[in-house]
Amino acid sequence: MFHTGLRKMFPLNVDAAARIIPPERLRWIAYGHFEADECGAMNEWLAAAPRAQAAHGQTGCMVSLNDFADRPPRVLKDGEIVDLGGGKRLRFIDTPHTPHGWDAGVLYEESTRTLLCGDLFTQLGDGPALTDGDVVGPAIVAEDLFKYSGLNPGMGATIRALAKLAPRTLALMHGPSFSGDGGAALCALADDYDRRVSDCWPKPQQLAS
């Protein structure tokens, strides 16, 4: 499971998840960064899934998860792979401060080339569960409105590194999953963040003047 949802939404979410898999069969519970909507119900899920272990990157475990989780978490190194069995392999990728949170990270399932994006591509509205349409434009609109990202000079490079994975599916937390050229969508998103960062920092000639 990637993201637990809010603690107060646990009864709704556990009922929905049970239509797909009995909670007691869950083995891994992860999230993109430490916020209530990402992992607020972590301990409720750990109680419902006695075989499950929380997992996150080294920074996230050190500053939050070691204390927050009722059971010791698994600390994932950047690039580490968790073998789920049945040919499914999840790779953890550190993305500090992208889109926000110094503990931020994503998961990439190698066999299906699915990138679990966390808050990247956040968008508004009640759209379809899956789309092959534009996810970059709506993400730009949401960023314009909420300004939720921690803009930093490395954002574009971090997102372009994800694009090199050439994901076929982008699994968004806030928005529909996208099926198509995930690499191109990520590059377009990186371009927009480069523009935003450039607008925020003065250029060398401006500093000289």
Side-chain angles (χ1 to χ4, degrees):
M1 172 185 289
F2 194 56
H3 300 152
T4 73
L6 298 164
R7 180 175 60 85
K8 291 182 178 180
M9 291 184 65
F10 174 73
L12 293 173
N13 288 336
V14 74
D15 286 347
R19 301 174 198 166
I20 302 169
I21 181 174
E24 58 271 16
R25 287 182 53 197
L26 280 176
R27 181 65 184 87
W28 299 105
I29 301 174
Y31 58 90
H33 54 272
F34 194 81
E35 283 186 320
D37 62 334
E38 308 261 345
C39 59
M42 174 72 68
N43 290 319
E44 284 77 6
W45 280 103
L46 288 174
R51 295 178 58 249
Q53 186 176 18
H56 198 53
Q58 296 182 85
T59 299
C61 288
M62 178 179 66
V63 302
S64 299
L65 195 53
N66 285 337
D67 179 71
F68 178 71
D70 283 345
R71 292 198 293 275
R74 174 165 168 175
V75 181
L76 299 172
K77 297 178 181 178
D78 183 34
E80 183 172 348
I81 291 174
V82 178
D83 191 338
L84 301 181
K88 300 293 189 294
R89 291 161 50 89
L90 277 177
R91 188 192 315 175
F92 175 77
I93 303 169
D94 269 320
T95 61
H97 304 290
T98 301
H100 48 245
W102 68 330
D103 64 328
V106 297
L107 291 175
Y108 179 65
E109 203 292 298
E110 295 182 334
S111 69
T112 58
R113 288 167 51 190
T114 298
L115 184 68
L116 304 174
C117 293
D119 281 355
L120 289 172
F121 296 100
T122 286
Q123 50 195 267
L124 308 172
D126 186 13
L130 180 67
T131 184
D132 58 3
D134 178 28
V135 291
V136 181
I140 291 172
V141 170
E143 183 67 64
D144 288 341
L145 178 63
F146 293 120
K147 297 177 171 46
Y148 67 90
S149 295
L151 297 180
N152 66 87
M155 286 190 77
T158 298
I159 296 172
R160 286 190 184 86
L162 299 177
K164 292 178 181 178
L165 297 169
R168 289 190 299 229
T169 302
L170 302 173
L172 280 55
M173 180 174 178
H174 300 291
S177 291
F178 168 76
S179 177
D181 189 343
L186 286 159
C187 285
L189 187 68
D191 288 344
D192 184 67
Y193 279 120
D194 280 345
R195 174 187 62 80
R196 293 176 190 275
V197 170
S198 178
D199 289 346
C200 287
W201 270 269
K203 296 175 175 58
Q205 59 269 28
Q206 293 173 318
L207 291 174
S209 62

